[in-house]
Amino acid sequence: DQQVKQNSPSLSVQEGRISILNCDYTNSMFDYFLWYKKYPAEGPTFLISISSIKDKNEDGRFTVFLNKSAKHLSLHIVPSQPGDSAVYFCAASRGGSQGNLIFGKGTKLSVKP
Amino acid sequence: NAGVMQNPRHLVRRRGQEARLRCSPMKGHSHVYWYRQLPEEGLKFMVYLQKENIIDESGMPKERFSAEFPKEGPSILRIQQVVRGDSAAYFCASSPQGTGIQPQHFGDGTRLSIL
């Protein structure tokens, strides 16, 4: 029973274009959502988060959108850079920032020069 | 991932041996979480600890696995009598105490291989 789903295992984008990574969730009790980036042989690195009381949060080239009615969130990266190539994980929590995180399986982003 | 320190980075054990994984949280962080990642999977929550207390162990197998976060020293994830299925990457994360939105920060993990 996967509560957080990332249905695209991989995504390929040209440098300079927009990357859009998608995530769906099933549990309406989730109140905090995060995106992490992960390189091989390293731990996940926090990118950006959003509380369920908001529908958008922006940090530099990264923007996260939350659509609670559709139980969907997305991460936009613009412009995409080759260094953005990594696996991106969507995660959700029921207890605000103190609860355990439920992760999706990840989307591997490849940004081609 | 500077800050959360995990050791060892790689650990090889034979079936039936014990594995001990260590995690030192970021300075000022008093919440520690352990996650396990199998190949091609996302991270799966195992246990959430604060100093000297287990807050949530709902993701941890009932047998062979235990975790602690003593008053002094790192958090320890202990796996007794390891089996092949325990082979995975084990990640530790930490967050600060207090109110407000604070993301969990992860270490680089321990890759456990069972021969």
Side-chain angles (χ1 to χ4, degrees):
Chain A
D1 176 27
Q2 247 195 302
Q3 298 185 66
V4 177
K5 298 178 184 177
Q6 294 177 256
N7 291 320
S8 298
S10 62
L11 174 68
S12 184
V13 171
Q14 205 69 31
E15 182 180 5
R17 299 286 184 100
I18 184 171
S19 296
I20 300 176
L21 297 103
N22 294 303
C23 178
D24 298 294
Y25 61 95
T26 57
N27 192 334
S28 57
M29 298 298 289
F30 288 144
D31 57 6
Y32 182 50
F33 303 89
L34 308 91
W35 285 95
Y36 285 85
K37 175 167 107 171
K38 187 180 181 302
Y39 294 116
E42 292 185 11
T45 299
F46 169 72
L47 271 179
I48 192 169
S49 63
I50 188 167
S51 165
S52 60
I53 62 173
K54 295 186 174 183
D55 55 19
K56 176 183 174 181
N57 189 24
E58 192 171 353
D59 184 1
R61 296 187 297 116
F62 303 92
T63 303
V64 56
F65 296 92
L66 175 62
N67 182 335
K68 285 194 294 292
S69 61
K71 294 193 180 69
H72 176 84
L73 65 156
S74 60
L75 174 68
H76 293 211
I77 306 173
V78 56
S80 302
Q81 299 172 355
D84 295 329
S85 297
V87 178
Y88 288 78
F89 289 98
C90 169
S93 168
R94 283 189 301 170
S97 60
Q98 302 301 339
N100 71 77
L101 298 177
I102 311 296
F103 282 84
K105 290 190 176 185
T107 296
K108 185 175 183 179
L109 174 65
S110 299
V111 180
K112 303 196 181 304
Chain B
N1 295 305
V4 180
M5 303 301 294
Q6 290 189 248
N7 68 82
R9 290 294 310 273
H10 301 273
L11 182 60
V12 180
R13 285 286 178 265
R14 296 189 180 279
R15 280 179 294 171
Q17 292 184 320
E18 178 181 287
R20 284 193 179 218
L21 289 64
R22 294 175 187 77
C23 169
S24 296
M26 283 180 72
K27 191 173 181 179
H29 287 193
S30 57
H31 299 245
V32 165
Y33 309 80
W34 285 93
Y35 294 83
R36 176 165 65 176
Q37 184 184 26
L38 297 171
E40 310 302 323
E41 296 283 324
L43 282 72
K44 295 277 197 286
F45 167 77
M46 298 182 74
V47 61
Y48 164 28
L49 310 103
Q50 294 180 22
K51 283 286 186 182
E52 300 185 278
N53 288 306
I54 296 175
I55 306 302
D56 181 357
E57 56 182 350
S58 59
M60 200 150 71
K62 294 284 186 283
E63 296 179 354
R64 303 188 299 108
F65 285 73
S66 62
E68 62 176 7
F69 189 16
K71 189 176 179 181
E72 302 291 337
S75 175
I76 306 286
L77 179 67
R78 184 181 175 205
I79 310 173
Q80 294 178 293
Q81 299 176 335
V82 296
V83 301
R84 289 250 169 88
D86 297 332
S87 295
Y90 292 81
F91 291 97
C92 169
S94 72
S95 66
Q97 188 165 1
T99 57
I101 298 296
Q102 298 285 352
Q104 295 176 23
H105 294 272
F106 284 80
D108 282 339
T110 294
R111 272 119 191 111
L112 176 64
S113 298
I114 309 301
L115 301 179

PDB file of all heavy atoms in Angstrom, chain A residues 14-26:
ATOM      1  N   GLN A  14      16.258  18.751 -21.482  1.00  0.00           N
ATOM      2  CA  GLN A  14      17.389  19.492 -22.048  1.00  0.00           C
ATOM      3  C   GLN A  14      17.800  20.615 -21.098  1.00  0.00           C
ATOM      4  O   GLN A  14      16.939  21.251 -20.454  1.00  0.00           O
ATOM      5  CB  GLN A  14      16.958  20.077 -23.396  1.00  0.00           C
ATOM      6  CG  GLN A  14      18.083  20.348 -24.353  1.00  0.00           C
ATOM      7  CD  GLN A  14      18.731  19.080 -24.873  1.00  0.00           C
ATOM      8  OE1 GLN A  14      18.089  18.044 -25.020  1.00  0.00           O
ATOM      9  NE2 GLN A  14      20.019  19.163 -25.152  1.00  0.00           N
ATOM     10  N   GLU A  15      19.099  20.845 -21.027  1.00  0.00           N
ATOM     11  CA  GLU A  15      19.614  21.949 -20.214  1.00  0.00           C
ATOM     12  C   GLU A  15      18.911  23.254 -20.562  1.00  0.00           C
ATOM     13  O   GLU A  15      18.690  23.564 -21.744  1.00  0.00           O
ATOM     14  CB  GLU A  15      21.123  22.093 -20.431  1.00  0.00           C
ATOM     15  CG  GLU A  15      21.773  23.188 -19.601  1.00  0.00           C
ATOM     16  CD  GLU A  15      23.272  23.286 -19.844  1.00  0.00           C
ATOM     17  OE1 GLU A  15      23.788  22.568 -20.726  1.00  0.00           O
ATOM     18  OE2 GLU A  15      23.930  24.080 -19.133  1.00  0.00           O
ATOM     19  N   GLY A  16      18.543  24.023 -19.526  1.00  0.00           N
ATOM     20  CA  GLY A  16      17.897  25.306 -19.751  1.00  0.00           C
ATOM     21  C   GLY A  16      16.379  25.239 -19.761  1.00  0.00           C
ATOM     22  O   GLY A  16      15.706  26.260 -19.581  1.00  0.00           O
ATOM     23  N   ARG A  17      15.849  24.010 -19.977  1.00  0.00           N
ATOM     24  CA  ARG A  17      14.395  23.859 -20.003  1.00  0.00           C
ATOM     25  C   ARG A  17      13.871  23.618 -18.595  1.00  0.00           C
ATOM     26  O   ARG A  17      14.633  23.493 -17.640  1.00  0.00           O
ATOM     27  CB  ARG A  17      14.014  22.688 -20.904  1.00  0.00           C
ATOM     28  CG  ARG A  17      14.448  22.855 -22.351  1.00  0.00           C
ATOM     29  CD  ARG A  17      13.589  23.867 -23.061  1.00  0.00           C
ATOM     30  NE  ARG A  17      13.905  23.982 -24.484  1.00  0.00           N
ATOM     31  CZ  ARG A  17      13.208  23.402 -25.444  1.00  0.00           C
ATOM     32  NH1 ARG A  17      12.161  22.650 -25.147  1.00  0.00           N
ATOM     33  NH2 ARG A  17      13.550  23.566 -26.700  1.00  0.00           N
ATOM     34  N   ILE A  18      12.541  23.528 -18.492  1.00  0.00           N
ATOM     35  CA  ILE A  18      11.930  23.268 -17.195  1.00  0.00           C
ATOM     36  C   ILE A  18      11.828  21.765 -16.949  1.00  0.00           C
ATOM     37  O   ILE A  18      11.529  20.986 -17.857  1.00  0.00           O
ATOM     38  CB  ILE A  18      10.526  23.922 -17.103  1.00  0.00           C
ATOM     39  CG1 ILE A  18       9.929  23.747 -15.714  1.00  0.00           C
ATOM     40  CG2 ILE A  18       9.612  23.347 -18.174  1.00  0.00           C
ATOM     41  CD1 ILE A  18       8.658  24.559 -15.498  1.00  0.00           C
ATOM     42  N   SER A  19      12.132  21.343 -15.710  1.00  0.00           N
ATOM     43  CA  SER A  19      11.897  19.962 -15.277  1.00  0.00           C
ATOM     44  C   SER A  19      10.689  19.981 -14.357  1.00  0.00           C
ATOM     45  O   SER A  19      10.616  20.808 -13.435  1.00  0.00           O
ATOM     46  CB  SER A  19      13.101  19.407 -14.510  1.00  0.00           C
ATOM     47  OG  SER A  19      14.238  19.314 -15.333  1.00  0.00           O
ATOM     48  N   ILE A  20       9.754  19.079 -14.598  1.00  0.00           N
ATOM     49  CA  ILE A  20       8.573  18.964 -13.739  1.00  0.00           C
ATOM     50  C   ILE A  20       8.491  17.545 -13.226  1.00  0.00           C
ATOM     51  O   ILE A  20       8.335  16.587 -14.001  1.00  0.00           O
ATOM     52  CB  ILE A  20       7.282  19.333 -14.486  1.00  0.00           C
ATOM     53  CG1 ILE A  20       7.357  20.767 -14.998  1.00  0.00           C
ATOM     54  CG2 ILE A  20       6.071  19.149 -13.564  1.00  0.00           C
ATOM     55  CD1 ILE A  20       6.161  21.195 -15.833  1.00  0.00           C
ATOM     56  N   LEU A  21       8.630  17.403 -11.914  1.00  0.00           N
ATOM     57  CA  LEU A  21       8.537  16.093 -11.279  1.00  0.00           C
ATOM     58  C   LEU A  21       7.244  16.019 -10.491  1.00  0.00           C
ATOM     59  O   LEU A  21       6.908  16.952  -9.761  1.00  0.00           O
ATOM     60  CB  LEU A  21       9.745  15.845 -10.376  1.00  0.00           C
ATOM     61  CG  LEU A  21      11.085  15.812 -11.107  1.00  0.00           C
ATOM     62  CD1 LEU A  21      11.849  17.097 -10.901  1.00  0.00           C
ATOM     63  CD2 LEU A  21      11.920  14.641 -10.633  1.00  0.00           C
ATOM     64  N   ASN A  22       6.547  14.924 -10.636  1.00  0.00           N
ATOM     65  CA  ASN A  22       5.219  14.794 -10.051  1.00  0.00           C
ATOM     66  C   ASN A  22       5.153  13.766  -8.929  1.00  0.00           C
ATOM     67  O   ASN A  22       5.942  12.805  -8.902  1.00  0.00           O
ATOM     68  CB  ASN A  22       4.211  14.408 -11.133  1.00  0.00           C
ATOM     69  CG  ASN A  22       4.018  15.505 -12.151  1.00  0.00           C
ATOM     70  OD1 ASN A  22       3.663  16.621 -11.790  1.00  0.00           O
ATOM     71  ND2 ASN A  22       4.259  15.201 -13.415  1.00  0.00           N
ATOM     72  N   CYS A  23       4.190  13.987  -8.050  1.00  0.00           N
ATOM     73  CA  CYS A  23       4.032  13.112  -6.893  1.00  0.00           C
ATOM     74  C   CYS A  23       2.562  13.104  -6.492  1.00  0.00           C
ATOM     75  O   CYS A  23       1.926  14.169  -6.444  1.00  0.00           O
ATOM     76  CB  CYS A  23       4.903  13.644  -5.745  1.00  0.00           C
ATOM     77  SG  CYS A  23       4.805  12.734  -4.205  1.00  0.00           S
ATOM     78  N   ASP A  24       2.011  11.938  -6.242  1.00  0.00           N
ATOM     79  CA  ASP A  24       0.636  11.807  -5.780  1.00  0.00           C
ATOM     80  C   ASP A  24       0.618  11.120  -4.416  1.00  0.00           C
ATOM     81  O   ASP A  24       1.488  10.287  -4.125  1.00  0.00           O
ATOM     82  CB  ASP A  24      -0.185  10.975  -6.770  1.00  0.00           C
ATOM     83  CG  ASP A  24      -0.272  11.626  -8.127  1.00  0.00           C
ATOM     84  OD1 ASP A  24      -0.885  12.700  -8.206  1.00  0.00           O
ATOM     85  OD2 ASP A  24       0.298  11.072  -9.096  1.00  0.00           O
ATOM     86  N   TYR A  25      -0.370  11.472  -3.608  1.00  0.00           N
ATOM     87  CA  TYR A  25      -0.474  10.827  -2.307  1.00  0.00           C
ATOM     88  C   TYR A  25      -1.921  10.439  -2.040  1.00  0.00           C
ATOM     89  O   TYR A  25      -2.845  10.971  -2.664  1.00  0.00           O
ATOM     90  CB  TYR A  25       0.076  11.729  -1.190  1.00  0.00           C
ATOM     91  CG  TYR A  25      -0.631  13.054  -1.013  1.00  0.00           C
ATOM     92  CD1 TYR A  25      -1.652  13.207  -0.072  1.00  0.00           C
ATOM     93  CD2 TYR A  25      -0.268  14.164  -1.772  1.00  0.00           C
ATOM     94  CE1 TYR A  25      -2.282  14.409   0.106  1.00  0.00           C
ATOM     95  CE2 TYR A  25      -0.899  15.375  -1.609  1.00  0.00           C
ATOM     96  CZ  TYR A  25      -1.902  15.502  -0.670  1.00  0.00           C
ATOM     97  OH  TYR A  25      -2.545  16.705  -0.505  1.00  0.00           O
ATOM     98  N   THR A  26      -2.092   9.509  -1.137  1.00  0.00           N
ATOM     99  CA  THR A  26      -3.442   9.002  -0.888  1.00  0.00           C
ATOM    100  C   THR A  26      -3.983   9.392   0.487  1.00  0.00           C
ATOM    101  O   THR A  26      -5.189   9.391   0.692  1.00  0.00           O
ATOM    102  CB  THR A  26      -3.463   7.461  -0.994  1.00  0.00           C
ATOM    103  OG1 THR A  26      -2.499   6.919  -0.058  1.00  0.00           O
ATOM    104  CG2 THR A  26      -3.096   7.007  -2.400  1.00  0.00           C
TER     105      THR A  26
END
